[in-house]
Amino acid sequence: MNTRVIGQFDVEAVRAAFPILRQEVNGHPLVYFDNAASMQKPEAVIEAVAGYYRRDHSNVHRGAHALANRATEALEGARERVAAFLGGVAREEVLWTRGTTESINLVANSWGRANLRPGDEIVLTAMEHHANIVPWQMVAEATGARILVLPVTEAGTLDLDALPALLGERTRLVAVAQVSNALGTVNPVADIIRLAHAAGALVLVDGAQAVNHFAVDVRALDADFYAFSGHKLFGPTGIGVLYGRRALLDAMPPWQGGGEMIERVSFAGTTYAEVPWRFEAGTPHIAGAIGLGAAIEWLQEQDREAAAAHERALLERLDAGLETIAGVRRIGTDPARAGIASFVVESGHPTDVGLLLDQQGVAVRAGHHCAMPLMERFGVPGTVRASLALYNTAAEVERFLQALDKAMGFLR
Ligand code: PMP
């Protein structure tokens, strides 16, 4: 495969850190363009997880022995790394969860049930992932709150002109993705947060698709809650993060009860631990947190601006290539998208395209991408989604375009 260095970014050196990319699928070198669903893991992450299990594993906190102390230090050290990664928030503001989905469910169930009253309003957008819709529907049903939806334009951007009319004195929360997982649109969350705060509402940002593409400073954004998943950031599955503003977390009741989250338990009544542990019932995913810490460390060693420029160049070529293939219609055409190209073909179902690409060693995702309301907005059952990471190459983009062209030959 051609090596290609765009600017100062040496993509082959980055690729070399990802053993999984060195394989053939169906007789072809793997082209992994399913990064929005889950990113691959660099050797440093695999080693951190394996090394932890080889040397240091024990349950955490209250340990009276060396391994328990090492495991605790590694877990809490990873928390500090996440706190720094999010722009220097306090470690107490970083909660471990299973992923973005659980982070949002935590806010909906803890903050939502404690604060939402009948007639209160939650503003979502039409491009949210189901993880940022369904928990709010559930809590709205339980509390009598209402959900309002900010529409999406034909280009796949948020219709910001419609936002002021949705924000009113009953608005309690705005929940919005920073980057759309289905289209790659980058939403102006700082502007949305400013408007929401002016209306007296809190803002939860779903950062699942953002943190891997560009640096995020939650304090500069002024976000109240920020959620992301380890596995979409080169880390393990089953670990995620919820950032919450300290004053909000302090005032929130626990969600799940059990070990680790208590101060004192008796049958007369139980008192709860301080944040963050109050929201971390049960044995945490220690190895996952350590792996996520290693993923962040690895990412921070990369030139992130050069990586972003590299991804941008790949996406531009991908967009231009898709425009030249007859029968392909792009969905989500904002030029400033992050790493994702979504499209439909006139002559076939997205799944057919996905299967034909897989036969040629190209992995993409086909379907509704857990964004059914967005698919409905565009009148399509689903899309084919090619999603990039910093380890993808220009040669892979060409391979993808050739494979798609060939697939279209079968479908026409
Ligand atoms: N939000 C967005 C924008 C996503 O892309 C995803 C994952 N596809 C999620 C939420 C849910 O993340 P997870 O499945 O890791 O909890």
Side-chain angles (χ1 to χ4, degrees), residues 125-128 150-160 176-188 192 329-338 340 342 371 373-375 377-378 383:
T125 87
M127 68 168 76
E128 296 312 307
L150 183 65
V152 164
T153 68
E154 201 51 35
T157 57
L158 292 179
D159 182 2
L160 289 178
V176 58
Q178 192 168 12
V179 173
S180 155
N181 70 305
L183 309 179
T185 313
V186 182
N187 292 324
I192 294 170
R329 180 163 63 91
R330 292 168 57 218
I331 308 276
T333 49
D334 187 43
R337 295 174 345 273
I340 290 171
S342 232
L374 184 66
M375 300 297 119
R377 154 71 182 82
F378 283 99
T383 71

Side-chain angles (χ1 to χ4, degrees), residues 312-361:
R312 206 157 39 242
L314 296 185
L315 188 62
E316 274 171 24
R317 172 64 191 126
L318 197 49
D319 284 351
L322 286 172
E323 290 291 338
T324 66
I325 300 177
V328 167
R329 180 163 63 91
R330 292 168 57 218
I331 308 276
T333 49
D334 187 43
R337 295 174 345 273
I340 290 171
S342 232
F343 60 94
V344 291
V345 304
E346 277 161 13
S347 47
H349 195 273
T351 314
D352 300 332
V353 181
L355 292 173
L356 287 164
L357 291 176
D358 180 55
Q359 284 171 11
Q360 303 175 72

Side-chain angles (χ1 to χ4, degrees), residues 114-157:
N115 289 284
L116 293 170
R117 302 281 169 264
D120 282 351
E121 291 168 355
I122 302 165
V123 176
L124 306 178
T125 87
M127 68 168 76
E128 296 312 307
H129 188 281
H130 297 166
N132 204 21
I133 299 174
V134 184
W136 301 116
Q137 288 178 322
M138 291 164 74
V139 75
E141 201 169 319
T143 60
R146 297 199 312 140
I147 289 173
L148 308 181
V149 183
L150 183 65
V152 164
T153 68
E154 201 51 35
T157 57

Side-chain angles (χ1 to χ4, degrees), residues 36-37 99-102 104 129 131 177 179-181 206 208-209 229 231-232:
T100 309
T101 303
E102 193 177 58
I104 297 171
H129 188 281
V179 173
S180 155
N181 70 305
D206 172 353
Q209 297 293 342
S229 300
H231 71 101
K232 293 178 197 282

Side-chain angles (χ1 to χ4, degrees), residues 49-65:
V49 172
Y52 163 72
Y53 279 131
R54 281 201 195 99
R55 290 182 311 266
D56 303 326
H57 174 66
S58 170
N59 212 329
V60 288
H61 305 142
R62 305 173 317 282
H65 61 83

